[in-house]
């Protein structure tokens, strides 16, 4: 039974209903997602950049998609997330990329869709990209999945190295073998759909990109990259390909 919780605003169900993946979860899963969303709204610092203003639509849409990542994990696995700062659209980043883990790497003026800073630094998101992915799932791009995945990667060691805390669920050597094979192929310029080419940047970006595919185009990933899908399923303790699809 869904009901209003302390951090969830009135009307949150309608906002959740516009997130494409919401309808793919069972009632029990929706209740769990609502609980995690509520926790994120109450325990994280939410802020809008510049002249932008936060709305319930913005915070609930972001928190709910982040909640999907930890549905099979502990909510506290997001303890590296201190603050979420939302920009109306892609931030222009001049010179060297602003963060260690940015959405785009370039040395020119480039649009950055999101960033996840280390050492409990803020997570930065572009709202237009966030809402587009939320309302039109299945394209393999989701900046919320991407940036929150970096924060899971940083858990315990504060290092984004492409290997999150595996918790004994996967043999680390097996994880590394599977991920390295796909990462090396991307680096060599091979096309490995549905993985985005940006995953070739470094192992941390590979994990973030793989997470986007795992949650946003799970059946495609399971079909094209079954070994990678299996290690991600073991890590996240979810089987999104088995769910109804949006
Ligand atoms: Zn990234």
């Amino acid at each position: 039974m869904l009901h209003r919780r302390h951090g969830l605003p009135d009307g949150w169900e309608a906002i959740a209903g516009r997130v494409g993946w919401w309808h793919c979860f069972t009632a029990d899963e929706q209740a769990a997602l609502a609980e995690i969303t509520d926790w994120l709204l109450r325990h994280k610092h939410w802020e809008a950049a510049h002249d932008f203003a936060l709305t319930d639509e913005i915070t609930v849409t972001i928190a709910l998609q982040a909640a999907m990542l930890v549905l099979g994990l502990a909510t506290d696995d997001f303890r590296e997330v201190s603050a979420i700062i939302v920009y109306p659209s892609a931030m222009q980043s001049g010179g060297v990329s602003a963060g260690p883990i940015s959405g785009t790497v370039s040395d020119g003026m480039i649009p950055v869709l999101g960033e996840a800073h280390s050492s409990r630094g803020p997570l930065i998101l572009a709202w237009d990209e966030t809402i587009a992915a939320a309302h039109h799932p299945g394209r393999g791009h989701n900046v919320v999945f991407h940036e929150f995945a970096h924060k899971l990667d940083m858990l315990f060691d504060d290092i984004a190295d492409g290997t999150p805390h595996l918790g004994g669920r996967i043999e680390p050597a097996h994880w590394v073998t599977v991920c390295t094979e796909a990462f090396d192929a991307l680096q060599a310029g091979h096309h490995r759909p549905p993985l985005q080419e940006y995953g070739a940047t470094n192992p941390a970006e590979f994990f973030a990109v793989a997470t986007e595919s795992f949650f946003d185009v799970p059946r495609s990933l399971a079909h094209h990259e079954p070994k990678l899908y299996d290690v991600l399923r073991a890590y996240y303790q979810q089987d999104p390909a088995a769910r109804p699809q949006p």
Side-chain angles (χ1 to χ4, degrees):
M1 182 67 195
L2 302 180
H3 53 86
R4 186 175 188 280
R5 290 180 176 79
H6 191 69
L8 288 171
D10 290 331
W12 72 268
E13 289 103 330
I15 298 168
R18 289 192 284 276
V19 174
W21 284 103
W22 175 252
H23 306 282
C24 305
F25 292 94
T26 65
D28 283 350
E29 288 171 332
Q30 288 181 342
L33 287 170
E35 199 167 305
I36 299 165
T37 302
D38 169 67
W39 186 88
L40 289 170
L41 294 177
R42 285 188 287 115
H43 287 87
K44 304 303 177 186
H45 178 72
W46 294 81
E47 190 178 318
H50 306 312
D51 297 330
F52 199 47
L54 291 180
T55 63
D56 292 339
E57 174 100 30
I58 292 171
T59 55
V60 171
T61 300
I62 293 170
L64 176 60
Q65 292 179 95
M68 285 174 58
L69 267 59
V70 293
L71 185 59
L73 303 174
T75 306
D76 192 46
D77 282 358
F78 278 148
R79 61 183 171 273
E80 290 296 318
V81 180
S82 56
I84 297 102
I85 304 173
V86 188
Y87 281 68
S89 58
M91 299 71 78
Q92 289 299 316
S93 178
V96 184
S97 170
I101 310 296
S102 69
T104 315
V105 172
S106 167
D107 54 6
M109 288 299 289
I110 43 117
V112 177
L113 311 182
E115 288 180 358
H117 292 259
S118 58
S119 302
R120 301 201 80 244
L123 193 152
I124 300 172
L125 295 166
W127 172 239
D128 57 354
E129 296 290 332
T130 298
I131 190 80
H135 290 183
H136 303 285
R139 296 175 179 177
H141 291 270
N142 187 302
V143 68
V144 174
F145 296 161
H146 183 109
E147 300 304 335
F148 278 83
H150 280 314
K151 286 297 190 178
L152 293 175
D153 191 357
M154 294 171 193
L155 191 62
F156 289 114
D157 56 9
D158 202 32
I159 299 167
D161 58 3
T163 301
H165 180 63
L166 299 174
R169 299 188 291 279
I170 315 160
E171 185 61 40
H174 179 59
W175 170 278
V176 170
T177 299
V178 170
C179 293
T180 301
E181 190 280 323
F183 172 70
D184 286 350
L186 289 181
Q187 280 223 314
H190 298 299
H191 196 43
R192 293 288 286 259
L195 296 170
Q196 302 161 43
E197 291 169 12
Y198 184 65
T201 307
N202 57 46
E205 296 306 338
F206 178 83
F207 173 64
V209 159
T211 295
E212 285 185 78
S213 292
F214 181 73
F215 284 102
D216 199 54
V217 284
R219 289 187 180 175
S220 176
L221 187 71
H223 177 73
H224 292 287
E225 302 284 349
K227 289 179 183 173
L228 180 60
Y229 184 87
D230 281 348
V231 295
L232 288 167
R233 181 175 59 182
Y235 166 64
Y236 280 112
Q237 299 189 78
Q238 294 188 54
D239 192 1
R243 283 181 195 127
Q245 304 294 295

